[in-house]
């Protein structure tokens, strides 16, 4: 949240994970950013990209999730 995004967004996870891999891809599927979070139940990210649609992929090693972000 929020979505659409101005500059910063947060993702609340269902529990604290020892390691979470965060990937951000543009509408063409090109990797724009990647970050590793340690011992996290919440992902906070500053979106410093042009307006458009982006895809977030999260991987904990146990679970994977994808969501769509609209940058204004």
């Amino acid at each position: 949240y929020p979505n659409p995004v101005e500059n910063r967004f947060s993702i609340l996870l269902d529990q604290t994970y020892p390691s979470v891999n965060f990937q951000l891809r543009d509408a063409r599927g090109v990797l724009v950013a990647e970050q590793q979070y340690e011992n996290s139940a919440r992902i906070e990210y500053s979106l410093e990209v042009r307006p458009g649609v982006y895809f977030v992929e999260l991987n904990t090693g146990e679970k994977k999730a994808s969501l769509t972000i609209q940058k204004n």
Side-chain angles (χ1 to χ4, degrees):
Y1 63 88
N3 196 10
V5 174
E6 289 295 325
N7 294 316
R8 186 172 187 82
F9 65 91
S10 298
I11 301 169
L12 297 176
L13 306 176
D14 62 343
Q15 67 182 54
T16 299
Y17 290 95
S19 179
V20 180
N21 180 263
F22 168 94
Q23 291 184 336
L24 180 70
R25 296 183 183 275
D26 68 14
R28 297 175 293 148
V30 175
L31 185 64
V32 175
E34 184 170 22
Q35 191 166 338
Q36 195 73 23
Y37 292 85
E38 304 297 328
N39 298 314
S40 296
R42 179 184 185 129
I43 304 297
E44 294 193 23
Y45 190 77
S46 293
L47 197 60
E48 299 176 12
V49 294
R50 296 192 308 202
V53 175
Y54 293 87
F55 303 100
V56 174
E57 298 173 3
L58 301 173
N59 185 345
T60 67
E62 301 171 13
K63 296 181 180 180
K64 291 183 181 181
S66 300
L67 57 130
T68 304
I69 299 289
Q70 173 71 43
K71 165 75 158 107
N72 287 342

